[in-house]
Amino acid sequence: MTEPDRTFGTFARVCGILESTPSRSEKVRIAAQYLKSLDPDDAAVAAMLIIGRTVRERERDLAAIGWSALSSALRSVGQSVLLEHRPLTVSEVWSTLEGLKAHTGPGSREKKVRVLSALLSRCDELEREWLLRILSGEMRHGVSHGLMLEVASRLSSTDLEEVTIADMLLGDVGELVRRALTGTLKEVGLEPMRPVRPMLAEMAYDPSEILAAHGGRTLVEPKMDGVRVQVHRRSGEVRVFTRRLKDVTHALPEVVEEVSGSVRWDEFILDGEVVAIDEWGNPLPFQETMRRVGRERSVEEVAPLVPVRLWVFDVIFADGRPTITRPLSERRRALESAVDPELLTPARICATKADVEEALEEALRKGHEGVIAKDPESRYYPGRRGARWLKLKPSETLDVVIVAAEWGHGRRSGWLSNYHLAVRDESRGGYAVVGKTFKGLTDEEFERMTRRLLELRTSEHPWGVEVRPEVVVEVAFNEVQRSPRYESGYALRFARVVRVRDDKSPEEVSTLSEVADVYRRQFLGKGRLDLSRLPSD
Ligand code: AMP
């Protein structure tokens, strides 16, 4: 057997081949062949680097490497003393990039620049090209997270459905590939202290559609406007994770406290929403909750000023066993038997259009965003967005990621204030622009956003900057139009930012087919369906 070729040079060549291979199945074959030629540990890191990841999923926001640090590193490449002549390996590149997150606080930028510049000095031209693509988060070779799941499926001869579930449970695509290669994919289990991606909801437009999708009966809960959390307990210890699998236990002492005395299972994983509340217990705006959840320091001082509370709406694991395959109606009964009622999200079974409408009105009256209607017979699908859970809100919004920003004029000069908004293009990979907006942020938010986007810039133009797709915003709009202006073919009319969604990752933004769906529905709703104008997909 030949020695595995662990060099970063080979990695770069494989990426080049992937880029020039248009066929998806061929890409899967090439990537699988390459990963199989490596040791499982090297294959794990190579898999993450191939999809442009520089840290593990749950540490995503720790190692942001700004454009300015990167360009300083590039400028000083020539000045680094070349001590190493050995070829660079994939695992060295990974551990160097992963190690960058250790540098925080004053002087950390200089340290990062030094480390990066030393790494870049060891690269030849092709390696440097791919390292820069990894660092800018834009691989442009069409190998997405989704395609990597197909690779893992091929490597392990396991069907894609099973691989997808294992990926959701692991939340770590490198580990998934390692397991695919070592035949240990089937052992992936659900257990407390290992966060999993939460189940997600699709958009619904009216109660009849919901009832039809759920076989005539649906469980309707208010849609709390807060931050999704997963609360785990094992051996007396409680941990709280976000939907991006980040551990935020330190920021939410009240949640730890709340579950301590109110849940009668020793071990559990609960799914719910945390919401900042005022002194009367009414929900505060989303940004307040986000500020609490994102808090790193001085939690003790802030917690009493802006308290939060937990709403529990699901159970994924209880007393030694996963509960995800049990129907929601059973999971709800289990919750009612073991969790104090004050902690539980109110829920009611609705069987008619009027019931759903009444539940929606009541939720809105209480200051919630809308309702989520859930199929009582459905199991829990970690990480999956589907019609088993449907959200119904009076105002329609989409989640988009900012990919570029223009400098403002007049009162807004000095700020990056006009944002290019993109959705995920599932068929072609990457993101597709569907509009721009300069509406919805306060002066303070514009200022903060400008600083943030400058850190994320990947190129500069007289008009503004292109940025690494990281910042997710929720936008409202009046209409979706067909538009030749954007490659996506669609444009959001009168888009405005409703919220900055730091709780969502760029992979979670709305997709181009959702935009197409909204476009089509507009015609249905208005009773002027014109088939000749429908997009062909
Ligand atoms: P969206 O963020 O618009 O995709 O809506 C789905 C989100 O609504 C979930 O991820 C939760 O954070 C939140 N949510 C609020 N209340 C509920 C509920 N009762 N059931 C499920 N999700 C809820």
Side-chain angles (χ1 to χ4, degrees):
M1 227 177 109
T2 50
E3 272 289 288
D5 184 348
R6 316 171 59 214
T7 60
F8 190 59
T10 298
F11 171 92
R13 272 190 298 282
V14 171
C15 286
I17 296 171
L18 289 168
E19 186 176 27
S20 58
T21 306
S23 147
R24 188 177 170 94
S25 57
E26 222 6 49
K27 282 188 209 279
V28 171
R29 193 190 62 76
I30 295 165
Q33 191 181 20
Y34 168 59
L35 294 174
K36 208 167 155 181
S37 76
L38 299 171
D39 291 337
D41 287 344
D42 284 335
V45 295
M48 287 187 278
L49 291 173
I50 289 180
I51 60 170
R53 209 155 265 175
T54 57
V55 285
R56 285 175 205 280
E57 179 64 22
R58 61 201 60 178
E59 290 164 344
R60 265 193 85 111
D61 38 354
L62 288 179
I65 298 152
W67 180 81
S68 65
L70 197 54
S71 48
S72 307
L74 273 170
R75 273 197 303 278
S76 56
V77 163
Q79 299 151 22
S80 294
V81 192
L82 261 181
L83 295 171
E84 267 307 344
H85 297 291
R86 277 181 308 110
L88 200 53
T89 64
V90 171
S91 55
E92 274 175 296
V93 170
W94 172 262
S95 52
T96 310
L97 296 182
E98 219 200 3
L100 289 176
K101 68 171 186 275
H103 303 299
T104 54
S108 59
R109 183 179 172 279
E110 285 65 34
K111 281 192 209 127
K112 284 188 188 174
V113 169
R114 239 178 290 134
V115 173
L116 277 178
S117 126
L119 188 63
L120 285 161
S121 343
R122 289 185 58 198
C123 291
D124 65 21
E125 210 175 313
L126 184 69
E127 292 169 331
R128 189 172 304 176
E129 161 76 24
W130 285 98
L131 181 55
L132 289 175
R133 289 204 202 185
I134 292 170
L135 289 167
S136 70
E138 286 190 72
M139 298 299 280
R140 300 198 300 269
H141 56 16
V143 182
S144 58
H145 180 234
L147 193 131
M148 193 52 78
L149 299 186
E150 290 179 43
V151 172
S153 155
R154 186 183 173 106
L155 288 172
S156 58
S157 312
T158 309
D159 66 58
L160 188 58
E161 168 90 5
E162 235 177 282
V163 172
T164 308
I165 291 181
D167 176 55
M168 285 155 189
L169 294 178
L170 284 170
D172 181 341
V173 78
E175 176 62 11
L176 182 83
V177 165
R178 202 185 64 73
R179 283 174 177 267
L181 283 166
T182 52
T184 50
L185 208 55
K186 294 209 163 49
E187 292 160 23
V188 176
L190 187 61
E191 54 176 311
M193 301 303 166
R194 190 199 275 169
V196 299
R197 293 174 212 277
M199 181 160 170
L200 303 168
E202 240 172 41
M203 191 81 97
Y205 298 85
D206 72 80
S208 346
E209 174 197 347
I210 294 174
L211 288 165
H214 295 173
R217 279 176 87 248
T218 184
L219 186 85
V220 180
E221 298 171 1
K223 183 176 190 299
M224 315 294 184
D225 190 11
V227 170
R228 186 77 174 266
V229 288
Q230 209 168 80
V231 187
H232 294 230
R233 181 159 80 191
R234 167 164 274 180
S235 312
E237 189 191 1
V238 174
R239 304 230 136 251
V240 187
F241 299 93
T242 63
R243 62 194 283 160
R244 299 179 75 175
L245 315 181
K246 193 173 164 204
D247 187 335
V248 288
T249 315
H250 65 279
L252 301 169
E254 305 98 309
V255 173
V256 177
E257 173 92 2
E258 266 180 313
V259 295
S260 294
S262 321
V263 185
R264 288 173 288 287
W265 291 308
D266 289 335
E267 292 194 335
F268 58 75
I269 305 178
L270 299 177
D271 190 7
E273 189 91 349
V274 72
V275 184
I277 47 172
D278 66 14
E279 55 192 301
W280 299 281
N282 299 316
L284 288 172
F286 171 79
Q287 269 0 310
E288 297 293 335
T289 312
M290 204 51 233
R291 228 173 282 166
R292 272 297 312 273
V293 176
R295 191 104 202 158
E296 298 289 347
R297 281 183 291 272
S298 320
V299 174
E300 307 75 24
E301 287 152 44
V302 185
L305 302 176
V306 187
V308 293
R309 67 149 297 170
L310 173 69
W311 288 104
V312 174
F313 49 73
D314 218 320
V315 53
I316 305 173
F317 185 101
D319 258 353
R321 255 181 302 151
T323 51
I324 53 173
T325 52
R326 286 162 48 187
L328 173 63
S329 50
E330 250 183 62
R331 302 200 303 276
R332 177 79 201 187
R333 270 201 300 281
L335 281 174
E336 284 167 4
S337 71
V339 179
D340 280 358
E342 309 82 75
L343 227 53
L344 293 183
T345 307
R348 64 191 250 196
I349 288 281
C350 295
T352 64
K353 208 169 160 237
D355 281 352
V356 179
E357 274 161 5
E358 203 182 295
L360 176 63
E361 269 161 37
E362 189 184 343
L364 295 175
R365 228 179 11 251
K366 293 204 168 136
H368 303 303
E369 238 190 309
V371 292
I372 303 228
K374 304 176 178 178
D375 180 348
E377 300 313 317
S378 63
R379 55 162 287 182
Y380 190 99
Y381 288 100
R384 185 96 45 97
R385 193 183 291 283
R388 309 278 59 91
W389 287 15
L390 289 167
K391 52 188 173 192
L392 186 63
K393 306 194 277 188
S395 69
E396 200 165 333
T397 61
L398 285 168
D399 295 320
V400 296
V401 64
I402 299 178
V403 292
E406 296 171 25
W407 292 110
H409 301 288
R411 213 177 64 76
R412 296 201 176 95
S413 67
W415 291 337
L416 286 167
S417 59
N418 195 9
Y419 307 119
H420 298 208
L421 313 168
V423 292
R424 203 154 56 75
D425 183 343
E426 330 87 298
S427 53
R428 284 195 284 178
Y431 296 95
V433 175
V434 289
K436 294 187 197 176
T437 188
F438 51 84
K439 295 207 174 76
L441 297 190
T442 62
D443 288 4
E444 193 197 322
E445 285 169 329
F446 272 130
E447 238 175 276
R448 212 172 324 130
M449 186 66 91
T450 303
R451 269 184 270 128
R452 220 170 140 190
L453 293 175
L454 284 175
E455 263 300 301
L456 293 171
R457 72 197 140 158
T458 52
S459 62
E460 265 181 309
H461 305 275
W463 51 262
V465 295
E466 288 175 69
V467 296
R468 196 182 155 102
E470 279 288 336
V471 181
V472 177
V473 291
E474 185 178 338
V475 291
F477 50 92
N478 289 21
E479 198 179 9
V480 175
Q481 297 178 316
R482 286 300 259 163
S483 163
R485 176 142 34 117
Y486 303 117
E487 229 179 279
S488 67
Y490 295 97
L492 305 181
R493 196 166 136 81
F494 298 127
R496 55 216 176 260
V497 176
V498 187
R499 298 178 180 81
V500 180
R501 297 295 308 246
D502 284 333
D503 57 324
K504 290 199 171 176
S505 73
E507 284 101 32
E508 285 183 274
V509 297
S510 308
T511 58
L512 198 50
S513 49
E514 283 175 71
V515 174
D517 205 32
V518 176
Y519 173 77
R520 276 192 222 106
R521 282 169 186 276
Q522 287 167 178
F523 293 102
L524 295 168
K526 287 176 188 161
R528 54 179 169 101
L529 180 65
D530 175 356
L531 287 172
S532 65
R533 292 182 60 192
L534 293 184
S536 54
D537 56 332

